[in-house]
Amino acid sequence: MSILFTIGDDSVSRPPVASPVILTQQGQGTFGLQGRPNQTISFASVTVQPDDSAELTICLADGNNIAFAGQQTRKTAEDIVLNLTSSGNADAQGPANIRYGPNNSIISISSNGTLDGQPFFIQFSGQPATTTPAAKTVTCTGRMQNSWQYRAEARNRRFTQIN
């Protein structure tokens, strides 16, 4: 007598697939670039891929955004440190310190560095999202590292649409 057991789904033997870390938050902050007026930040997002490549995007109050690419160099239960390397076609250098909290919210972002050789800074403080129906929808557009263009809408700290 022999017994043969089979598994209809072979996913049991596969290792788990790592997923990206995605942090988002409405808030208030300032982006400054030497020689230009400071700009107000209204929303920020951070995406860290399983290979530690990362993108930090800040949405400005005027509807434009600035996306930085880089590498995650440290992660704890409360913060992530990115080494920024580019912004679009521009060179960027400097660390970005991101403190995060529950529900993938961003508590704060602090960064000082250079963008094509010019000093820049980012200071951002996240605020708890309101759950009232009058909550503002934030829209950001940009270009990812792989040249894909995107448009993202968020409401109450959650993406509602990404194109």
Side-chain angles (χ1 to χ4, degrees):
M1 180 170 154
S2 67
I3 298 176
L4 175 64
F5 293 95
T6 61
I7 298 174
D9 178 6
D10 68 348
S11 65
V12 175
S13 62
R14 284 188 233 146
V17 176
S19 59
V21 173
I22 301 173
L23 310 173
T24 62
Q25 188 65 50
Q26 291 178 334
Q28 243 182 4
T30 305
F31 171 74
L33 181 62
Q34 184 177 31
R36 296 186 185 178
N38 289 347
Q39 297 186 55
T40 301
I41 303 169
S42 61
F43 183 82
S45 69
V46 176
T47 302
V48 180
Q49 299 296 333
D51 67 356
D52 289 336
S53 63
E55 185 170 283
L56 162 66
T57 301
I58 55 173
C59 297
L60 305 176
D62 65 5
N64 291 317
N65 67 49
I66 301 171
F68 293 89
Q71 285 290 121
Q72 176 180 270
T73 59
R74 186 179 88 175
K75 181 180 181 188
T76 69
E78 298 175 340
D79 67 351
I80 292 174
V81 177
L82 304 180
N83 179 31
L84 303 178
T85 57
S86 65
S87 178
N89 292 328
D91 289 330
Q93 291 183 345
N97 300 296
I98 298 107
R99 288 192 39 85
Y100 65 96
N103 300 318
N104 293 340
S105 63
I106 297 172
I107 296 170
S108 66
I109 299 174
S110 176
S111 181
N112 289 294
T114 59
L115 185 57
D116 263 355
Q118 301 217 358
F120 79 90
F121 72 90
I122 298 170
Q123 289 296 322
F124 176 81
S125 179
Q127 63 191 23
T130 60
T131 57
T132 63
K136 181 180 176 186
T137 298
V138 177
T139 303
C140 296
T141 58
R143 185 178 304 275
M144 297 170 51
Q145 286 178 281
N146 61 5
S147 297
W148 287 8
Q149 289 186 325
Y150 67 88
R151 181 175 194 267
E153 292 182 7
R155 185 178 188 84
N156 294 333
R157 293 185 305 146
R158 298 198 186 284
F159 285 114
T160 57
Q161 183 176 14
I162 300 174
N163 296 324

